[in-house]
Amino acid sequence: MGCGESKPTGDPAVSPVVGDDPVENANATQIDRELDQAKQEDEGKVKLLLLGAGESGKSTIFKQMRILYGSPRSEDDLRMYGVVIRHNIIVAMRKLCVHLKNLGLEDALSQEPAPENGGSSMTPKAAYDKLVAHLVECSASEESLPSVDKNDWVGQSPRAGLAANNDAKQFLQHVDAIRTVWQSTTMKEVWAKRAAVNVIDGHKEYFQDINRICAPSFRPTTQDILLARMRTTQVVRERYRIDGIEFEMYDVGGQRSERRKWIDCFDNVDAVIFVAALSEFDQSLAEARRTNRMVEALELFRSVCNNRAFANTSIMLFLNKKDIFAEKILYSDIAAQRPFADYAGPPKDFDLGVIYFIQKFKD
């Protein structure tokens, strides 16, 4: 056998294509141009990821960024937050009523007279019994309860969920009893021991402003929205332009059950902002009552720092809720908590307490 020069056979089926379709060529060029532009825009963005344990304040920082640099809230947003705020009050009062009973303070409450200027003739004990029957044990009939004002601006919000809407309705029906119990001397003692039942510290402002929140004209303020507690169950993204630079910030759920979703946010992140609440040194996790919240934050921070996905990523530690920490150390000793028995500073010292926890994170 020999090798000879190949020659065209003349078969049109294998003839080379001469030239390209100009329309397809133009479309391909346009697509390439758009892909290059999108790539350049993406590379020019600064991507920030908020991480931290549940209820550390990540979502509050996320909301603050929107207030400063994002779009204003729509009326639908405000109605949703109105429902959530009233729901938050009911959740807190349920926990406080149960805690009052567990502390054995029902007899002390029964000794208190009806408030002179509280707008209600109920005694604190009668108000407490009503709340327990309707909100805790759910054993009382709803037939005798007052109807909700049809002119209430907040109304209902499908976005808030069925449970939150039901609680918001109950808030309006039981607001007199809630106000009476909150103003009692016994509740002040219960509130000082709220860490045992994980009541959110900032919701004290809601109780103090209950007359405004129950009014038919109530519209949440910026501060109301910052204090509102909504559990983050998905990845939430916001975009901002600050000094001509595009920023993307991602907020994710901090509870243990939500952390499996974090991995989806790890790619191409420029910086991680890890949020830890100073005030949670004497609290336990809602999902694991034997685990101290600050210990959980320390372990989580260590795992984030050691994650290979963040080997070339800046990690910033943000110690949150310092105002609540300053208030709490006046009656809750850091060294009295078993995980922090090595604290050698004097009780009630804000600066040394902060330095102590900063060193814990450095270690």
Side-chain angles (χ1 to χ4, degrees), residues 1-289:
M1 293 179 62
C3 294
E5 181 180 358
S6 296
K7 296 182 180 180
T9 62
D11 187 349
V14 295
S15 296
V17 178
V18 179
D20 294 325
D21 186 328
V23 176
E24 291 184 1
N25 189 52
N27 289 340
T29 302
Q30 179 63 24
I31 291 172
D32 289 342
R33 188 180 298 115
E34 291 175 356
L35 289 173
D36 288 340
Q37 182 179 353
K39 182 178 179 181
Q40 291 175 6
E41 291 177 354
D42 190 65
E43 290 176 348
K45 293 176 184 175
V46 177
K47 296 183 179 180
L48 305 174
L49 177 60
L50 283 169
L51 296 180
E55 300 183 14
S56 58
K58 300 187 309 303
S59 296
T60 301
I61 294 172
F62 195 73
K63 287 184 283 188
Q64 286 173 323
M65 289 293 292
R66 175 166 177 172
I67 290 167
L68 292 171
Y69 303 107
S71 58
R73 297 285 181 185
S74 67
E75 297 227 323
D76 187 50
D77 288 339
L78 293 177
R79 285 190 167 91
M80 178 194 69
Y81 276 110
V83 169
V84 169
I85 288 162
R86 291 169 172 176
H87 159 67
N88 288 164
I89 293 173
I90 290 293
V91 170
M93 184 52 69
R94 280 195 187 106
K95 292 180 178 180
L96 292 170
C97 285
V98 171
H99 197 35
L100 187 151
K101 180 178 181 179
N102 292 339
L103 291 172
L105 294 174
E106 289 178 312
D107 288 341
L109 188 67
S110 66
Q111 303 301 315
E112 296 191 43
E116 295 181 0
N117 55 356
S120 173
S121 60
M122 282 188 293
T123 65
K125 182 59 165 61
Y128 164 80
D129 289 339
K130 180 180 181 181
L131 293 178
V132 169
H134 285 276
L135 304 183
V136 180
E137 298 176 351
C138 301
S139 58
S141 170
E142 302 290 324
E143 296 178 359
S144 60
L145 294 177
S147 58
V148 176
D149 191 336
K150 293 182 179 179
N151 295 319
D152 182 64
W153 185 85
V154 171
Q156 301 279 295
S157 171
R159 291 171 58 195
L162 180 61
N165 278 286
N166 288 339
D167 281 351
K169 178 181 177 181
Q170 288 188 308
F171 165 77
L172 294 175
Q173 293 172 325
H174 300 291
V175 65
D176 288 340
I178 293 171
R179 184 191 299 110
T180 299
V181 171
W182 172 254
Q183 292 175 345
S184 68
T185 302
T186 303
M187 183 51 69
K188 291 179 174 60
E189 183 177 347
V190 176
W191 181 258
K193 300 175 181 178
R194 65 192 178 279
V197 289
N198 288 326
V199 173
I200 295 175
D201 302 285
H203 289 173
K204 179 180 182 179
E205 293 189 27
Y206 289 162
F207 285 110
Q208 292 174 332
D209 216 2
I210 199 167
N211 291 336
R212 177 178 62 88
I213 294 172
C214 74
S217 59
F218 168 60
R219 293 169 67 98
T221 65
T222 296
Q223 180 66 8
D224 292 334
I225 292 172
L226 288 175
L227 293 173
R229 168 60 181 161
M230 289 177 63
R231 179 173 174 176
T232 306
T233 57
Q234 58 185 350
V235 179
V236 185
R237 181 184 66 183
E238 288 280 3
R239 293 176 176 174
Y240 317 104
R241 176 174 285 273
I242 306 173
D243 295 334
I245 300 174
E246 292 285 343
F247 284 82
E248 279 188 356
M249 180 173 280
Y250 296 84
D251 183 24
V252 294
Q255 282 77 15
R256 290 179 174 182
S257 60
E258 298 297 325
R259 293 175 196 167
R260 65 183 185 277
K261 302 175 185 176
W262 289 10
I263 192 68
D264 297 329
C265 307
F266 285 177
D267 292 337
N268 303 318
V269 172
D270 295 294
V272 171
I273 301 176
F274 189 93
V275 183
L278 280 168
S279 61
E280 294 183 343
F281 68 90
D282 64 347
Q283 294 178 248
S284 59
L285 290 178
E287 63 267 39
R289 299 301 301 273

